[in-house]
Amino acid sequence: ILSARSSAVKQEPPECIFVRMTSASPRARISTWSLIATSLTEQHAFREYRRKRRPEVCVVAPMCRSFGGRSHMNKHLHPETYEHHLRTVDKPLAKFAGEVALEQLNDDLGYVNEQPAGSTMYATVDPWPKVYSHPRHHQVILDQCQLGQRNSHGQPVRKSIELRASD
């Protein structure tokens, strides 16, 4: 497992790299790289790692706080907070994730990204429009309940998500 603060690297190339902001338990054959969106040092280190190791798939997960359904309400109710998050964390991470996805596509490798259905990120943050127009790009919308997601009362979560990925 690779972390942004560790130089420990597996000997064989990983099948997948998961770029994320929050921690989760790592799975076999997946290298995990948690990074801070605004840290150019960590972004550079990740890019170097990706170029050298050429992972088959990068799973990128930028924060949806400024791009999902509730962001429209927050933009009007709390404009200062919305703009602060968009400018300092959400947009830089979305841009970086899009750059990783585009680099993967250009290297004939894969990527996967998840956002709420209807996310404005794909239309408003470069280079996502280029990723979206790439011939290997695919998308599917599904409800979290289809994946077994349940709320604290055990009821199915009917929140739509959009997966965008390469073939």
Side-chain angles (χ1 to χ4, degrees):
I1 301 303
L2 177 71
S3 91
R5 292 169 185 81
S6 169
S7 61
V9 178
K10 289 183 176 181
Q11 294 301 312
E12 75 265 1
E15 292 181 357
C16 178
I17 291 183
F18 184 56
V19 180
R20 61 191 162 83
M21 291 290 292
T22 59
S23 60
S25 61
R27 294 186 167 81
R29 305 276 311 162
I30 296 177
S31 287
T32 302
W33 189 291
S34 296
L35 60 93
I36 300 167
T38 54
S39 171
L40 297 179
T41 302
E42 289 189 21
Q43 289 182 10
H44 177 74
F46 175 80
R47 280 195 167 97
E48 287 301 310
Y49 175 83
R50 195 201 70 76
R51 283 187 195 114
K52 288 178 184 175
R53 302 302 291 240
R54 297 185 49 85
E56 292 175 32
V57 175
C58 284
V59 179
V60 293
M63 295 186 71
C64 62
R65 162 178 57 199
S66 295
F67 309 110
R70 289 209 169 155
S71 68
H72 308 297
M73 182 177 62
N74 288 336
K75 185 175 184 176
H76 296 288
L77 294 177
H78 309 287
E80 299 85 16
T81 303
Y82 170 84
E83 286 297 327
H84 172 76
H85 288 298
L86 179 66
R87 188 178 58 257
T88 60
V89 176
D90 301 349
K91 192 171 183 177
L93 181 60
K95 181 180 185 304
F96 177 68
E99 291 167 353
V100 169
L102 191 58
E103 289 170 10
Q104 286 288 106
L105 287 167
N106 290 339
D107 291 343
D108 202 28
L109 299 167
Y111 83 95
V112 176
N113 183 64
E114 180 269 332
Q115 282 281 296
S119 173
T120 60
M121 181 188 79
Y122 299 112
T124 60
V125 179
D126 284 329
W128 281 107
K130 290 179 187 172
V131 173
Y132 185 63
S133 65
H134 194 281
R136 290 183 49 226
H137 167 84
H138 298 279
Q139 69 189 66
V140 63
I141 296 176
L142 47 99
D143 286 337
Q144 290 182 4
C145 62
Q146 291 176 281
L147 303 173
Q149 183 72 20
R150 300 209 172 261
N151 65 20
S152 59
H153 303 291
Q155 300 164 325
V157 174
R158 295 186 182 135
K159 179 181 174 188
S160 296
I161 60 170
E162 186 170 359
L163 292 175
R164 295 200 180 197
S166 56
D167 58 7

